Structures are given as structure tokens and as C-alpha cells.
Amino acid sequence: MLAEDSVLLREGLIGLLSRCGNEVVAAVGDAEALVAAVEEHAPDIVVTDVRMPPGFQDEGLHAAVRLRETRPTLPVLVLSQYVQRTYASELLDSGDGSGVGYLLKDRVGQVEAFVDALHEVADGGTVVDPEVVRQLLRRRRDPLERLTPREREVLALIAEGKSNGAIAKELVVSEAAIGKHISSILTKLDLPPTDETHRRVLAVLTYLRS
Amino acid sequence: MSHPGFLLSVWPWRSVAYLLTGAVTGAAALVVIVTVTAVSGALAIVLVGLPLLVVVALSGIPVAWVERRRLRLIDRDPAVGQHQEPAAPGLWPWLTTRLREQATWRELGHALLFAGLLWPIDALVVTVALLFPVSMVATPLMMATVGDGHETKVLKQWTITTWPTAFGVAVLGLLLMGLCCYVLGIAAGARAELTRLLIASREGELDAKVVELARSRFRLVDAFEAERRRIERDLHDGAQQRLVALTMALGLARLDAPPGPLADQLAKAHEEAGKALAELRELIHGIHPKILADYGLEAAVADAADRSVVPVDVDLELPGRPPQAVESAAYFVVCEALANVAKHSGADRAQVSGGHRDGRLFLQVRDDGRGGAEPSAGSGLTGLGDRVSVLDGRLALSSPPGGPTLLLVEFPCELTKAADRSV
């Protein structure tokens, strides 16, 4: 399911997605058509642009938020021309924050990373563009001040949508060490142990709101 | 009038024309006003006359209109009425606006004064100042024709029987005519001045000009903002989308390419396209940040704080959105200030705070750097100061050497309720 108003990009994305073994059930050009098409096709994941007709403001983002109000489990990946915390947090606040992704449009050029992110979101993960994460890293404020630099690094990678294994590979440590870091992060952020994935999302949300 | 050529210029004739037409229109106004008042007074008993009374109240308006046009005969400065534009088209809004404003009643007063007192004076001045000298100049002619060369009366008073006296009177008449031209000029000038005072004061015009200038400045700022948004949209919908498509195509090509020089070339091209895209994105953001348009000043300032190299605390709360021009000027002031903090201040921490109080939006950017900032040293703040002042805002900078630096900016503006974004 794809919503993008630029024909050029829409065709490109369709090509890219079908090449990587995904089926695009519908491709639409504006926010209203997006809502209608979701009703009709019940897709596994929605990929949408932020700026869409008719107003060319943030219609795509708001259509996504509205869709998640009625279908909290519908995975949505939002592509934006600009990376901003405000857009990301609005999206992440919809539902419980799981199964959403917020990526810079530039990322579709990095085909493999983009497809990975798409699958991560479709599986209920949370993906935030590294650019947003980078901006947020500059603002070290509570409650994140309690975290060690290494823990913040791990949390940033969780926010980018990486699995424990991927984080371990990136930081060149064992997966068990990452697990330890994560449980320490969750304790420091006052996230009592319930469901593991859910707490990861909450940690990301805390991180984004800091 | 002090000019020596006055007597030979067109101005005495203009004065005569002004006073003559004044007498005629004044008399006509008197007739119309008296008639309408009498008729409506009589009909008021059966209620039909009441609307006619409104017509009487408004009768000053056409009279003043004619008078302002007549002023051009004698006065080069344009005379502008002081009426306001009705808020909505249609007869009823026009009527209520007119009945409520002071100008209408001033004009009615003027019309009554004109119809009752001024036009007879006009007539009298013209008659006397023209009749006396003309009849004196005509004395020899009268003597030759009506008096059969023996006698005639000057101004029906003095009998003249000899030709030398007759020609003497004619010469006197010529002198008097010159004098009367001045009298006419003075009278017409005084009348024009009185009219202007009553229904078209010069101060009003000056105010109107100042208001018009201020409006045109606002329009320029608005046009400038609109242009920024247009450029932003054009770049976004055109160049940026194409570059994204290009990086996507290159990314796909890289997947297909067998390892070798071709793959390396593709990788390089892909990287370059990505860099171009990132640069373009920053450029577009600098032209007109979308977050400002979508979410307003609070979010845009928070975003600017996110981007700042120096950690920034934001404490900004607005119950609504300021006008676009103000919003954008305020945002760029904050951005410029934060850029200066990062570049020059050496500060560890900065703070942006602000709010809206008593019809003013105010913002403060403070840092704990070394201070000594000088707006005149081309820190980019001078241009912003101009932009702020166009919106009647003020920008103040306190930056003693050794710090801290404090930048204050405020705009007079009303906030509009943020549109319901869920729609």
C-alpha cells in the first residue's frame, strides 16, 4: 500500500518494492484516496509521504495518524522530506507507538536499508530516522541524563529500528552485553518489566520526548 | 497670489468660476434640502417620511462630494473624503457605516452651512467685486449709448456729464478691477480653505498616506513570504523529487551491478546524488521550514534548538498562531541568534523563551557566552532588525564584553486560534 503524490517517485517506489518481493496492492496520490484504499485492501503496511494534496501540508502524516486511531495495529511507514522530531513524535504517539516508522525520503536510495526498515515496521517495530536520532543526541536532558553514554548509544540504535543482534554487530560487542544494557536502560527509565517489545517502544518514546 | 503675474494668470478667472459655481450649487442644495425636509416632515405623520429623513441626514455626502471636486478649481492639492469603507458590500452595511461615522455628520453640518449661509456670501462677493469695476469701466460706453453723450450715472449714484470725468471713472474702474481680482482670489481661497477644513482636512490625508505606506510595506513583506513559500514548493515538488528518484534508481542499479569498476562508479554516483539531496534539503529548509507552516512557531523553534550545536533550552508557550509574516520573522530571528551563539559566543548553553502578552509577541534568546556581540559588525542581525521593524516590531541586544548576551525581540500582533488540525 503506497501513497505518494509525485508520479515519478511513486513509480520508482513501486518498482523498488516489487523487486524486493513485496506486492503493492494500491498506489494512491492523495490522503483521502489513501484512507479509502486502506478500507478496501486492508494492507500489511502503509507507506506514505508527509506532504500530499490537496493542501500540500502534512495531510499524509495526519491520514496515517487517523488510520491508526481506527486500526491501532496497522503498520505505517512515513517518508518525509524533512526530519523533524515534531512529526515523528506525533506519529509515534498514535496507538502505542509500535509498528511505525519515520524516515527521511533520502533513505529510499539506500535500497537495502530501506527494505530492512520496511520489514522491521511491518513486524511491529519502531523505526526512527538516524538523522532525528542524531539531532536528539545533542540534547542530553533528563531522564536520559541518568544513562551512560554507551546506554544512550544503544537506545539511539533501538530508535533507529535495529534488533539486538544488529546493535551488537554495530557496536562490536556480544548480544548478551546489549541485553544487559537494554535492561539497565529500562530500569533507569522506570519502565517496569511487562512485554519486552512494548517496553522497547516506550523507551524510544521517552527518548524522543526528552 | 503674491506673484506679480497673478492678475494676468488664469487664477482670477478660476476664483470667479469657483465662487459662481458655489453660489449655484449652494442655491440648488438649499432648494433640494428644504424640499426633502418639508416633504418628509409632512409625510412623517404617516411614517412614510421617516426613511426620507435619513436621506436628509445623508444629504451632506453628495454635497461634500461636489464640493471636494469643486475644490480642484482653486486648490491643487487633492481633497480626499474621510469616509470609511463599509465592511461588507450592499446598501445596509453602507448605510450603517455612514450613519455611525463622524464624517457624515460633519458633512451634513457643512451642507447646512453651505446652503444657508455660504452661497449667498459667494454670490454677494462675485456680484460686488465684478459689478462695481465693470460698470465703472463701462462708463464712457454708457455715456455714448444710453446717455446720448450728455450724461450717465456711475453705480446709479453719481451723475457724470463730461467725457474727461467719464474716462477718469473708467481708469479708476480698471484699477478697481485689479484690486477686486485680489479680493476675489482671497475670498475664493478662504472659502476653499473653509471647505477643506470642514470636509477634507489635510491632516486626514497625511494620516491616510501614512496608513497606505504602512499597508504597502505589509503587502511587500507578505509578497516576500509568499514568494519564499512558492520557491520552497517548487524546489520540493521538482528538483527534490527527481533527485530522490535518481538516488533510488542508482541504489537499484547498484544491487544489479556485478562487482567491478562499474559498481564502484555507481557507488560513487549514488553517494554524490545522496550528498546533493542532503544539501538541497538543508537549502529548502533555510528558505521556508515546513514545520513552521505546519506546526507553528513553537515547534519550529524547538526544531531549530534540536539542530543547534550548542544545547538549547526552549521555554516558549503560545496559545495560538501569530500572523504568517510575524511568525516567519520571529523564527528567522531565533535561527540567526542561535547561529550566532554557535559561531561567535563560545557559550555552553543557550535559552530561548517567550510568550504572548498584552497584544505583543516577545522572544528572548540568551546565552552564557563571552558577549561583545555588535549588530553593526554585520552579524546578520542588522538585516533582521530591518525585517522586524517593517512589522512594527523591536529588536534589542544586550551583549556586554564578557557576556552574557541577551537578544530581545517583540512584535505587536494578535494570535489566531490554531486551526483544528484533526480535520
Side-chain angles (χ1 to χ4, degrees):
Chain A
M1 176 77 230
L2 183 64
E4 162 65 57
D5 60 295
S6 153
V7 180
L8 194 68
L9 269 187
R10 194 161 67 214
E11 295 307 317
L13 275 169
I14 291 173
L16 189 153
L17 290 174
S18 15
R19 219 195 103 126
C20 301
N22 306 286
E23 187 199 352
V24 179
V25 291
V28 295
D30 68 82
E32 274 173 33
L34 168 65
V35 176
V38 169
E39 294 287 340
E40 194 187 328
H41 297 284
D44 296 331
I45 181 166
V46 171
V47 180
T48 178
D49 187 8
V50 169
R51 173 139 100 176
M52 296 255 260
F56 290 99
Q57 289 204 330
D58 45 7
E59 282 86 352
L61 180 67
H62 282 102
V65 170
R66 256 182 300 150
L67 280 174
R68 279 178 62 85
E69 273 166 20
T70 44
R71 293 179 176 72
T73 53
L74 176 72
V76 173
L77 177 62
V78 171
L79 296 177
S80 170
Q81 207 69 67
Y82 313 88
V83 157
Q84 261 128 9
R85 186 161 50 107
T86 318
Y87 295 124
S89 39
E90 183 160 345
L91 182 69
L92 290 162
D93 282 343
S94 67
D96 62 359
S98 63
V100 289
Y102 178 81
L103 282 184
L104 197 60
K105 258 190 189 171
D106 301 15
R107 306 287 171 228
V108 298
Q110 295 147 16
V111 180
E112 281 165 321
F114 172 68
V115 172
D116 283 349
L118 186 76
H119 288 144
E120 177 75 32
V121 172
D123 295 340
T126 309
V127 175
V128 179
D129 197 276
E131 185 74 25
V132 178
V133 172
R134 201 165 54 79
Q135 278 180 18
L136 289 169
L137 268 178
R138 293 208 198 107
R139 299 161 49 86
R140 285 164 204 162
R141 293 174 52 191
D142 31 322
L144 297 185
E145 258 160 21
R146 275 174 276 161
L147 305 185
T148 65
R150 188 55 159 210
E151 283 163 357
R152 274 200 289 271
E153 220 171 327
V154 171
L155 184 53
L157 289 168
I158 297 177
E160 283 179 29
K162 298 217 158 74
S163 66
N164 287 9
I167 296 172
K169 218 188 285 172
E170 179 136 355
L171 299 180
V172 206
V173 289
S174 71
E175 211 171 320
I178 297 297
K180 258 186 214 158
H181 281 311
I182 291 178
S183 63
S184 161
I185 291 169
L186 295 177
T187 317
K188 283 183 180 175
L189 295 182
D190 293 327
L191 298 170
T194 45
D195 179 342
E196 177 71 11
T197 20
H198 200 78
R199 288 165 76 207
R200 279 175 74 116
V201 170
L202 286 179
V204 170
L205 290 180
T206 314
Y207 176 72
L208 285 170
R209 292 199 189 100
S210 67
Chain B
M1 220 195 290
S2 55
H3 199 268
F6 172 74
L7 287 180
L8 296 175
S9 73
V10 74
W11 288 103
W13 298 108
R14 281 179 162 240
S15 306
V16 170
Y18 181 70
L19 292 172
L20 263 181
T21 51
V24 174
T25 44
L30 178 67
V31 172
V32 172
I33 291 175
V34 166
T35 315
V36 176
T37 314
V39 171
S40 59
L43 291 178
I45 308 163
V46 286
L47 291 175
V48 189
L50 288 178
L52 276 174
L53 276 175
V54 177
V55 174
V56 175
L58 295 175
S59 62
I61 297 174
V63 175
W65 185 82
V66 172
E67 279 300 278
R68 279 195 293 270
R69 258 135 211 84
R70 246 168 33 77
L71 264 185
R72 289 182 195 163
L73 278 173
I74 191 94
D75 197 339
R76 283 205 182 97
D77 290 344
V80 189
Q82 296 151 323
H83 288 294
Q84 294 158 358
E85 282 291 312
L91 182 64
W92 186 247
W94 181 84
L95 201 62
T96 47
T97 312
R98 287 290 170 269
L99 286 178
R100 248 185 245 136
E101 66 189 355
Q102 204 194 358
T104 308
W105 304 105
R106 276 175 84 101
E107 288 181 354
L108 178 64
H110 166 262
L112 295 178
L113 187 69
F114 183 39
L117 186 66
L118 294 179
W119 76 265
I121 296 178
D122 288 351
L124 192 70
V125 171
V126 173
T127 314
V128 171
L130 275 183
L131 199 66
F132 281 25
V134 167
S135 64
M136 280 171 79
V137 170
T139 307
L141 188 68
M142 296 296 284
M143 194 139 134
T145 53
V146 187
D148 292 332
H150 296 297
E151 64 160 34
T152 186
K153 282 190 168 181
V154 179
L155 304 175
K156 311 229 172 194
Q157 289 290 318
W158 303 289
T159 313
I160 286 168
T161 50
T162 61
W163 284 104
T165 331
F167 279 105
V169 171
V171 172
L172 266 178
L174 274 177
L175 289 176
L176 189 65
M177 192 179 273
L179 192 69
C180 281
C181 281
Y182 281 98
V183 172
L184 283 167
I186 291 168
R191 265 292 276 116
E193 206 51 45
L194 179 67
T195 306
R196 189 178 273 281
L197 194 73
L198 289 174
I199 55 172
S201 74
R202 279 202 174 83
E203 274 171 32
E205 272 167 53
L206 201 61
D207 285 351
K209 270 183 196 161
V210 170
V211 167
E212 178 50 36
L213 268 174
R215 277 193 195 140
S216 77
R217 278 208 313 182
F218 274 117
R219 278 199 297 274
L220 271 176
V221 173
D222 270 352
F224 180 64
E225 279 307 314
E227 191 63 5
R228 284 182 95 105
R229 279 195 294 277
R230 190 189 63 76
I231 292 171
E232 185 258 347
R233 181 178 287 194
D234 283 357
L235 282 175
H236 172 94
D237 292 337
Q240 206 175 12
Q241 307 284 23
R242 279 176 192 281
L243 263 178
V244 171
L246 174 67
T247 51
M248 194 158 60
L250 285 171
L252 279 172
R254 279 181 76 185
L255 290 183
D256 291 338
L262 180 64
D264 293 346
Q265 292 285 335
L266 271 176
K268 208 171 164 202
H270 192 205
E271 207 172 293
E272 285 299 319
K275 274 186 200 155
L277 195 51
E279 259 171 46
L280 185 64
R281 178 156 40 84
E282 284 304 310
L283 177 71
I284 294 178
H285 189 87
I287 292 173
H288 189 88
K290 202 163 113 60
I291 186 143
L292 184 65
D294 288 353
Y295 287 82
L297 194 57
E298 276 177 65
V301 167
D303 172 63
D306 280 353
R307 290 161 171 267
S308 169
V309 181
V310 179
V312 182
D313 298 316
V314 180
D315 173 23
L316 176 65
E317 234 174 87
L318 299 174
R321 305 259 317 242
Q324 272 178 353
V326 170
E327 200 168 57
S328 156
Y331 171 76
F332 283 110
V333 168
V334 170
C335 283
E336 183 65 32
L338 289 180
N340 285 341
V341 167
K343 264 189 265 171
H344 310 296
S345 76
D348 303 322
R349 205 153 193 99
Q351 190 200 11
V352 180
S353 57
H356 188 264
R357 249 200 329 262
D358 307 327
R360 299 183 86 77
L361 169 76
F362 59 94
L363 290 163
Q364 260 186 38
V365 183
R366 185 196 296 272
D367 71 61
D368 58 359
R370 66 175 85 94
E374 189 58 57
S376 52
S379 59
L381 283 173
T382 334
L384 283 175
D386 292 346
R387 228 178 134 184
V388 169
S389 77
V390 166
L391 299 161
D392 281 338
R394 285 190 305 200
L395 189 114
L397 180 73
S398 150
S399 185
T405 298
L406 174 66
L407 177 84
L408 273 169
V409 59
E410 57 177 65
F411 299 92
C413 69
E414 291 307 322
L415 300 185
T416 46
K417 277 250 176 284
D420 188 2
R421 303 211 59 93
S422 63
V423 177

